[in-house]
Every structure is written in structure tokens, then in C-alpha cells.
Amino acid sequence: MLRIGTRRAARRQETDRPHPPDPPDPLDPPDPLDPLDPAQEDRVRAVLALGGVPHADLPDGVQQVRLKLLERAADGREAPRDVSAWAAVVASNLAMDWHRARRRQERLGERLAVLWRETTDEDGAESRALSMAVAQGLGELPDAQRQVVVLRFYADLPVRAIAAELGIPEGTVKSRLHTAVRLLRARLHEGEVV
């Protein structure tokens, strides 16, 4: 009796457990909605890998190329003459973007390391007080102003890139930055930090 109960429990656990998807059958016809065939997908993956994109990020890169091709079709633009070549160029651009983002992160890390060393020096108390006041001031800013300040001064993005990412005019980004910096400066003077 005990054995029957354990078998039932084991079967119940097997049915409750999610199963990994079956690998694609090479004899199955390709998905008509997928803009990349398996050979093109392999080529995109190879271009990304040769471009220095880490293995873990390759599936995301392939999906981004696929998405760009679908966006192109959705915009009503005609399909590229050679989808494989077009996808390879897009993959190469994505690899370059990945390296730029990594360099930007490294520069930010270096800046933060320098700031950390500065705050641990003898006059570190003043610098820490300033950092705390700036952090508190950032927390008091409206979301839109805080967002552009962080993107401009902490992520080191130019105004044009911020405008493109947020989908707003460059003048709006500049206006929000100006207002936010003015408010932060007033907050620092008010708290007698500066």
C-alpha cells in the first residue's frame, strides 16, 4: 500500500513540474511569421559572437535583429533584397552598441571608484555630506526631472541620446535639466552644504 501511494505522489509531481519545450524538428516547415530562417539566425548569432557579444547575450541579440526586421515590415518598408546580409549588418551594429554600452558602464564604474576614494580621504566627511544632500535632493525632484539628471550626469548620455530614448524633444530635455539643476543647487544652499 505504501508503494502505491509513493508512485501516485511521484506521478503527480511529474505532471505538476513544467517540462522544457521540445527541440525544433528539422523536418518541420519553417514558421511563416518568423522573418529569419534557421541559416540566417545562425549567421546572426555568429556575427554577434565574432563581434564580442557574450554567449549569454546571443539569444537577445538574435531577437533584436528579428524585431528590427518585423518593425521594418510593420512600417510598410519593403523587405531588404538580401535578408541574410541585412541581418548580418544589423547584428554587427548591435555588437558595436553592446561594446559602447559596456565602455559607458566601465567609465561610470571608474568615476564611482574615484568618488569612493575621494569620500574615504581625510575630508571625506564633507564629500559624504554633499553626496547625501545630492541624493536627498534627487529624491525630492519630480520623476521626469530626476530621470534626465540621472541619464545625463550619472549614465553620461548626451542630450540628443536622452531625447531619442525618452521620445521627447531635445529642448524639453534641456529645460528639465536646467530646472532640476536649479532646484538641486537651491536645495544644497538651503541646507548649507555648499
Side-chain angles (χ1 to χ4, degrees):
M1 189 79 156
L2 181 62
R3 295 178 99 188
I4 293 172
T6 56
R7 284 185 200 156
R8 284 185 189 147
R11 266 189 260 135
R12 200 174 314 118
Q13 285 178 349
E14 284 181 22
T15 58
D16 292 345
R17 194 173 344 144
H19 296 285
D22 293 331
D25 186 0
L27 299 177
D28 282 345
D31 183 359
L33 299 177
D34 191 354
L36 293 177
D37 64 33
Q40 292 166 337
E41 186 175 325
D42 289 343
R43 185 174 187 185
V44 166
R45 191 178 301 275
V47 169
L48 290 168
L50 291 171
V53 176
H55 184 73
D57 293 337
L58 292 180
D60 290 337
V62 172
Q63 286 300 90
Q64 286 182 12
V65 171
R66 186 174 278 121
L67 180 65
K68 287 191 183 294
L69 193 55
L70 289 170
E71 285 173 348
R72 183 182 175 105
D75 289 344
R77 293 183 279 169
E78 62 184 62
R81 277 184 267 152
D82 185 357
V83 173
S84 185
W86 180 88
V89 169
V90 171
S92 176
N93 290 339
L94 285 172
M96 288 191 311
D97 290 345
W98 183 86
H99 284 291
R100 283 189 200 110
R102 191 183 70 181
R103 280 195 301 269
R104 190 169 34 247
Q105 289 290 50
E106 288 171 355
R107 285 195 312 263
L108 181 60
E110 290 168 2
R111 269 201 232 138
L112 289 174
V114 167
L115 284 173
W116 178 253
R117 282 193 298 270
E118 288 175 359
T119 59
T120 56
D121 293 343
E122 295 117 23
D123 62 341
E126 289 177 24
S127 187
R128 277 193 297 271
L130 178 61
S131 295
M132 292 298 290
V134 169
Q136 186 177 6
L138 278 173
E140 294 172 358
L141 289 175
D143 291 340
Q145 291 175 356
R146 182 181 332 106
Q147 184 180 35
V148 295
V149 167
V150 169
L151 291 173
R152 178 66 188 107
F153 298 113
Y154 291 95
D156 197 29
L157 292 177
V159 170
R160 178 173 284 159
I162 296 170
E165 286 298 318
L166 298 179
I168 58 176
E170 289 182 41
T172 303
V173 173
K174 291 176 185 177
S175 173
R176 289 179 185 175
L177 280 171
H178 176 77
T179 304
V181 169
R182 192 183 72 231
L183 289 172
L184 283 173
R185 187 177 295 129
R187 172 84 170 97
L188 295 176
H189 284 294
E190 189 178 281
E192 299 179 2
V193 178
V194 176

